[in-house]
Amino acid sequence: MKLTSIKLCNFRSFYGTTPEMLLAGGDVQNTTIIHGNNGSGKTSLLNAFTWVLYEKFSAAFASIEQLVNKRAIAEAQKGQAVECWVEIGWEHEGKRYRVKRACRGYKNEGDFDAGKTQLTMWVGADDGKWNIPTQQPDDIINQILPATLHQYFFFDGERIEEIVRSDKKAEIAEATKIFLGVEVINRSIRHLGDAKKALENELKAIGDSETKQLLRQQEKIERERERITKRQTEIKEELEYQQTFKKETSNRLRELSAAKELQERWQDLESQKTANQEEYKKTKEALKKVISARGYTVLLSETTSQFRGIINDLKQRGELTSGISREFISDLLNSQRCICGAELHEGNHSHTHVSTWLNKAGSSAVEETAIRMIAQVDEIDKQAIGFWEEVDREQTRINQLRQSISQIEGDLDNIQERLRKDANEEISSLQKRLDEIESKIDELNREQGANQQQIAQLTTEIEGLNKQIAKQKLNEDKQTLAQRRIYATQDAIERLTEVRNRQEQQFRLQLEKRVQEIFMEISVTPYIPKISEKYELTLVENTTGIEAPVAASTGENQILSLSFIASIIDKVREWSEKRKMMMIPDSSTFPIVMDSPFGSLDENSRRHIAKTIPQLANQLIVLVTKTQWRGEVEAEMTERIGKEYVLTYYSSKPDCEQDYIELGGERYPLVKQSPNEYEYTEIIAVERNI
Amino acid sequence: MSQDANIDDVQEPINSAPAEVRRIIERVWKLEKGRLDKKINSHINDNILDIIKEEVR
């Protein structure tokens, strides 16, 4: 982050809109000096930076409520809004940014209400246009320079020793850990651990996989089916062979003259048997068809008789009279004449007589429906009778065929028996062979049937197993994936832990070394700064051979704090230039804005710090009083000045003492008499001819 | 040991990680970095879980 400008409006002592202060950002002339006497608004300016970026103020910043310039409030009408804002610009990784934090106050009867602040950000594009980013401005600022670290970059030099005060140690250690990336690694490790637990729970929920066992089972069944299928082929071949063999044997038998007649008779009977069997099969089929198509009719007899009972009952009660309909009687009454010719007038005897029929007669629509239903019910009853007749017919036919087949079989047996016992040995042996073939065929047919059934059953089992396996396989894939994820997470945790250990070893020790170098260069004391494992900064002495903490003076602590900040910026810049990833600020450029930086230091220390800080920070903005500036600080820093400003304080105090500062041969007013009753500050740019 | 070697040494466990582990570390690191200033880390575990699931498929 390289700060480029700051502009204020009605912010504290700055009345109205100030001119834009451009900030130095060169390689050598990287320092901006802002001169101002006490009370002129130096601390306000420092806080303008922290307020616009983080809505935070430094500890010494009194009366935060009085943010809005008093003159602006005094001059406003009642109920009128007064605006107060700070706008700063910076560059970061090739992009230009501007943010403005504004606060609108309303002047009421006797008091002033300041509303909430509003932060707006613009990001400059290469084409010169400024766009509002989609991300939250706070988030963008925090990614560039986290708020927790702001005390390293914007600080009050007179209170800088707070960094090493024991009650601030933990806070600073925390910030240092963030700066060095340790905190991010710690959080990553912790949250990856949580994620790993969640993944393990997911794995448990998937459950154990049984795929292997199911696959074994499937393989076994498939082998069995294969075996049976193979056997079926064998049977088929064997049957074909036996049939051919039977044919040949029969033919040979027929060829023998003695057996010829019997054999022919046998052949004839055999074809009769086949014909009868065919017929038998057909009749059975016909019977099945009759039952399936019309069998229901015989089950309806109870229902149809119930229906008849209802109809009879309705008729007996006169609710369903056959013959005369209500509509017919109404017609007669309307036409005022009966079919017998009698006139029907309201009140006469004939009319009364005919009218009584209105109650007895039913509606023709109901009657018609009843008649239709009766016809259908009659039809069902007839069908039931027809069904039984047909069934009887088919049954009789079946019995006849059965008898006929058994007769033929008996005849065949007789022929075979005669052939078996034939005196001619050849004939009898051929017949015996035929018997054997026959029984073999019979046996094979039975086996074939049984096998077929078994194959069908095994196929169903395999299909079922396939479904189960597919399901298990899916589970197994999920398990493998979950395990891979757990493994990767664990690996990430281990690697991050190792990085943390190495970082601990290297960064902390290198940082400590650098603090020691800088501190020893500035301070005349023999004390040694140490950075503990918890990243806490302490000062120790080693004069007795044993390290002992030092009760350091304010000045020592100031030197220590500045050394620490300088070394952090120096080391982080060095590391982040090489490896971006593990460093927190995405940058190797750091600004330092320091207010009254040389507070209680002696001349020697001031000289050293004035020399060191511009070298270590990329950009330096220093707010100084005349006395803080002149002498060794001026001597060390003048060459580094890129921009310079004077804060001119207009005092409302009558007859106030005016003050000036001489810069680059010119006189600039530090304190002037206010032309009105208000005190306020103006910003004047210094023109040096360096 | 030179400074370069030190830095490389610190990063070595990440540099030598399998691609997916490296991507997980980098993405989680970025996510955590973006949330450094947030005290409440709600949804962060879900986000990390999503990162792991996206990287290891």
Side-chain angles (χ1 to χ4, degrees):
Chain A
M1 178 192 247
K2 189 165 91 179
L3 296 165
T4 52
S5 67
I6 182 164
K7 197 174 175 183
L8 313 108
C9 172
N10 292 330
F11 185 84
R12 299 277 295 184
S13 55
F14 299 93
Y15 169 72
T17 309
T18 68
E20 186 158 66
M21 293 169 79
L22 299 176
L23 304 167
D27 285 339
V28 180
Q29 292 172 332
N30 64 352
T31 303
T32 303
I33 302 289
I34 299 164
H35 304 273
N37 270 16
N38 291 333
S40 66
K42 294 198 304 300
T43 307
S44 291
L45 207 48
L46 170 73
N47 278 279
F49 283 102
T50 55
W51 184 69
V52 66
L53 288 170
Y54 309 109
E55 208 174 357
K56 284 185 179 176
F57 298 110
S58 65
F61 199 55
S63 52
I64 288 158
E65 309 80 48
Q66 293 170 21
L67 206 63
V68 187
N69 180 266
K70 283 191 193 117
R71 181 177 167 190
I73 296 172
E75 285 175 358
Q77 302 294 317
K78 271 174 201 152
Q80 196 190 336
V82 181
E83 253 207 350
C84 155
W85 51 257
V86 174
E87 188 180 317
I88 66 165
W90 75 84
E91 284 170 14
H92 180 72
E93 306 214 310
K95 272 190 191 168
R96 289 173 300 147
Y97 296 82
R98 286 190 89 85
V99 287
K100 179 176 181 175
R101 190 179 293 279
C103 153
R104 226 171 229 268
Y106 289 90
K107 190 176 173 180
N108 302 318
E109 200 75 50
D111 68 341
F112 184 78
D113 269 355
K116 275 190 176 174
T117 74
Q118 200 193 354
L119 183 65
T120 318
M121 178 181 275
W122 296 266
V123 182
D126 291 335
D127 59 5
K129 282 182 185 157
W130 290 91
N131 303 310
I132 303 281
T134 47
Q135 223 185 329
Q136 284 294 313
D138 292 314
D139 291 345
I140 294 174
I141 293 168
N142 268 310
Q143 276 164 26
I144 294 171
L145 208 62
T148 39
L149 306 178
H150 84 270
Q151 52 205 333
Y152 284 142
F153 304 101
F154 306 95
F155 57 83
D156 182 344
E158 283 173 351
R159 291 166 183 265
I160 187 70
E161 81 277 4
E162 282 181 0
I163 281 185
V164 287
R165 251 177 32 198
S166 58
D167 60 330
K168 288 268 181 181
K169 261 183 190 159
E171 201 185 309
I172 293 297
E174 222 35 61
T176 312
K177 274 198 261 178
I178 287 175
F179 214 151
L180 298 182
V182 176
E183 183 61 21
V184 169
I185 296 178
N186 280 343
R187 289 187 189 190
S188 299
I189 291 170
R190 192 165 69 236
H191 294 136
L192 276 167
D194 292 342
K196 194 184 147 207
K197 255 181 224 142
L199 285 168
E200 279 165 352
N201 284 337
E202 278 180 24
L203 179 63
K204 259 185 222 158
I206 299 168
D208 289 333
S209 180
E210 294 165 355
T211 313
K212 271 187 190 160
Q213 201 197 323
L214 285 168
L215 278 172
R216 272 202 298 275
Q217 207 175 327
Q218 189 199 35
E219 204 186 308
K220 205 174 129 193
I221 295 173
E222 268 174 354
R223 268 207 306 272
E224 179 66 6
R225 186 172 66 170
E226 211 172 293
R227 189 189 65 76
I228 296 170
T229 312
K230 205 172 145 199
R231 175 72 192 135
Q232 287 292 78
T233 322
E234 280 171 15
I235 292 170
K236 206 179 150 201
E237 281 168 5
E238 180 69 14
L239 271 170
E240 273 166 17
Y241 165 73
Q242 293 291 352
Q243 294 287 8
T244 323
F245 191 36
K246 183 181 163 187
K247 217 174 185 176
E248 278 171 10
T249 315
S250 302
N251 284 346
R252 276 198 53 206
L253 200 56
R254 201 163 44 224
E255 276 161 18
L256 290 169
S257 59
K260 198 176 178 184
E261 201 186 324
L262 278 176
Q263 190 56 33
E264 270 166 8
R265 169 87 183 119
W266 187 84
Q267 203 82 31
D268 184 38
L269 284 171
E270 188 79 344
S271 62
Q272 271 182 39
K273 184 184 164 187
T274 315
N276 274 321
Q277 276 173 331
E278 278 300 308
E279 188 63 24
Y280 176 82
K281 224 190 267 174
K282 270 186 202 157
T283 314
K284 272 247 170 185
E285 284 298 315
L287 183 58
K288 272 189 201 164
K289 223 174 197 169
V290 169
I291 293 170
S292 66
R294 280 178 291 150
Y296 72 95
T297 54
V298 301
L299 303 171
L300 288 174
S301 61
E302 206 175 308
T303 315
T304 55
S305 73
Q306 238 175 40
F307 173 78
R308 288 208 172 81
I310 292 165
I311 292 290
N312 282 339
D313 188 41
L314 283 172
K315 274 183 184 166
Q316 266 171 17
R317 280 194 281 147
E319 283 174 32
L320 204 65
T321 47
S322 49
I324 301 171
S325 85
R326 205 180 282 167
E327 287 81 357
F328 173 70
I329 294 160
S330 296
D331 280 349
L332 292 181
L333 291 171
N334 282 342
S335 63
Q336 297 190 331
R337 191 171 288 277
C338 181
I339 43 170
C340 65
E343 289 204 1
L344 303 170
H345 293 297
E346 190 114 16
N348 75 2
H349 177 73
S350 304
H351 187 273
T352 317
H353 198 68
V354 173
S355 294
T356 53
W357 276 96
L358 261 181
N359 297 327
K360 290 185 195 169
S363 164
S364 59
V366 175
E367 221 171 285
E368 266 171 39
T369 312
I371 290 164
R372 262 207 303 279
M373 279 179 74
I374 291 167
Q376 273 176 13
V377 168
D378 287 349
E379 183 56 32
I380 287 170
D381 285 351
K382 261 187 233 163
Q383 270 187 22
I385 297 163
F387 169 78
W388 283 125
E389 282 170 0
E390 211 161 325
V391 167
D392 285 347
R393 207 163 42 238
E394 297 298 337
Q395 291 277 38
T396 317
R397 181 81 187 125
I398 286 167
N399 279 338
Q400 279 171 358
L401 286 166
R402 225 182 250 158
Q403 271 176 18
S404 156
I405 289 167
S406 106
Q407 175 93 38
I408 293 167
E409 276 174 349
D411 289 352
L412 282 167
D413 270 353
N414 283 339
I415 293 169
Q416 282 167 340
E417 192 62 27
R418 277 172 67 187
L419 286 167
R420 263 179 229 126
K421 289 179 179 168
D422 200 290
N424 185 333
E425 242 176 63
E426 201 177 351
I427 291 172
S428 68
S429 81
L430 274 173
Q431 182 53 46
K432 275 173 198 155
R433 198 178 294 162
L434 267 178
D435 286 349
E436 282 163 19
I437 293 169
E438 201 63 60
S439 91
K440 183 77 187 167
I441 287 173
D442 199 34
E443 197 183 303
L444 286 170
N445 271 333
R446 273 201 307 272
E447 195 186 339
Q448 198 177 35
N451 281 347
Q452 222 149 28
Q453 213 176 330
Q454 215 176 340
I455 287 172
Q457 199 191 325
L458 290 175
T459 306
T460 317
E461 270 178 52
I462 289 168
E463 277 166 10
L465 276 173
N466 270 339
K467 275 181 200 158
Q468 262 181 289
I469 288 165
K471 208 175 130 194
Q472 288 293 343
K473 191 98 183 106
L474 197 71
N475 270 357
E476 205 164 76
D477 289 348
K478 278 186 194 164
Q479 273 190 326
T480 318
L481 185 60
Q483 271 157 354
R484 272 181 50 219
R485 283 171 176 162
I486 290 170
Y487 178 77
T489 310
Q490 183 56 37
D491 196 18
I493 291 171
E494 280 165 15
R495 283 172 193 277
L496 279 169
T497 311
E498 180 57 28
V499 167
R500 183 177 58 185
N501 294 342
R502 293 182 188 198
Q503 192 152 327
E504 169 98 349
Q505 283 298 311
Q506 311 238 357
F507 287 7
R508 190 170 58 84
L509 296 180
Q510 282 186 31
L511 184 65
E512 190 180 69
K513 200 171 149 233
R514 193 80 183 101
V515 182
Q516 289 169 356
E517 280 167 13
I518 296 173
F519 182 82
M520 282 188 251
E521 200 183 306
I522 300 169
S523 174
V524 290
T525 59
Y527 308 146
I528 306 158
K530 289 268 175 188
I531 297 169
S532 75
E533 282 178 8
K534 286 181 183 170
Y535 288 90
E536 284 175 0
L537 182 66
T538 47
L539 207 53
V540 299
E541 63 164 342
N542 208 1
T543 41
T544 53
I546 304 156
E547 273 184 12
V550 175
S553 67
T554 308
E556 283 302 299
N557 276 339
Q558 281 187 355
I559 295 170
L560 178 62
S561 302
L562 288 167
S563 309
F564 182 57
I565 289 171
S567 55
I568 274 196
I569 290 174
D570 188 36
K571 289 315 280 186
V572 171
R573 184 175 60 191
E574 185 186 304
W575 291 324
S576 71
E577 269 169 9
K578 292 188 179 101
R579 283 289 180 277
K580 284 211 157 165
M581 188 179 148
M582 305 316 285
M583 288 296 138
I584 282 301
D586 278 333
S587 166
S588 55
T589 311
F590 304 103
I592 285 186
V593 180
M594 55 204 301
D595 178 19
S596 314
F598 315 105
S600 47
L601 299 181
D602 55 47
E603 189 193 317
N604 198 31
S605 304
R606 282 152 66 103
R607 181 180 295 281
H608 274 294
I609 287 173
K611 192 180 168 189
T612 310
I613 300 283
Q615 285 169 14
L616 295 178
N618 302 83
Q619 185 181 25
L620 184 64
I621 295 152
V622 193
L623 302 148
V624 281
T625 60
K626 197 157 77 176
T627 44
Q628 283 166 349
W629 174 248
R630 67 180 160 211
E632 58 289 336
V633 177
E634 185 179 9
E636 291 297 335
M637 281 194 171
T638 301
E639 278 185 14
R640 290 279 187 168
I641 295 174
K643 295 277 173 199
E644 198 171 14
Y645 297 90
V646 171
L647 303 178
T648 307
Y649 173 64
Y650 286 85
S651 173
S652 58
K653 194 177 134 192
D655 307 321
C656 79
E657 197 181 325
Q658 305 219 347
D659 196 6
Y660 295 90
I661 186 167
E662 199 160 306
L663 300 163
E666 288 275 334
R667 253 157 67 106
Y668 291 87
L670 283 170
V671 180
K672 277 174 99 170
Q673 178 74 51
S674 172
N676 49 48
E677 72 228 77
Y678 306 106
E679 50 165 356
Y680 59 95
T681 301
E682 269 179 9
I683 298 168
I684 302 167
V686 174
E687 304 292 339
R688 268 190 202 254
N689 298 313
I690 305 163
Chain B
M1 205 187 286
S2 78
Q3 205 91 113
D4 277 359
N6 285 347
I7 299 282
D8 284 340
D9 192 37
V10 168
Q11 300 272 336
E12 188 275 333
I14 295 170
N15 296 339
S16 67
E20 55 189 25
V21 175
R22 198 193 154 107
R23 281 198 301 271
I24 290 172
I25 292 174
E26 280 171 1
R27 287 182 63 185
V28 168
W29 195 89
K30 222 173 201 155
L31 181 72
E32 294 283 4
K33 181 180 161 293
R35 301 244 197 152
L36 255 181
D37 271 67
K38 294 196 171 63
K39 291 241 159 51
I40 302 157
N41 272 305
S42 56
H43 303 306
I44 193 152
N45 288 337
D46 288 344
N47 292 342
I48 288 178
L49 212 51
D50 287 346
I51 290 173
I52 296 165
K53 286 182 177 178
E54 275 170 38
E55 294 301 340
V56 185
R57 282 171 189 271

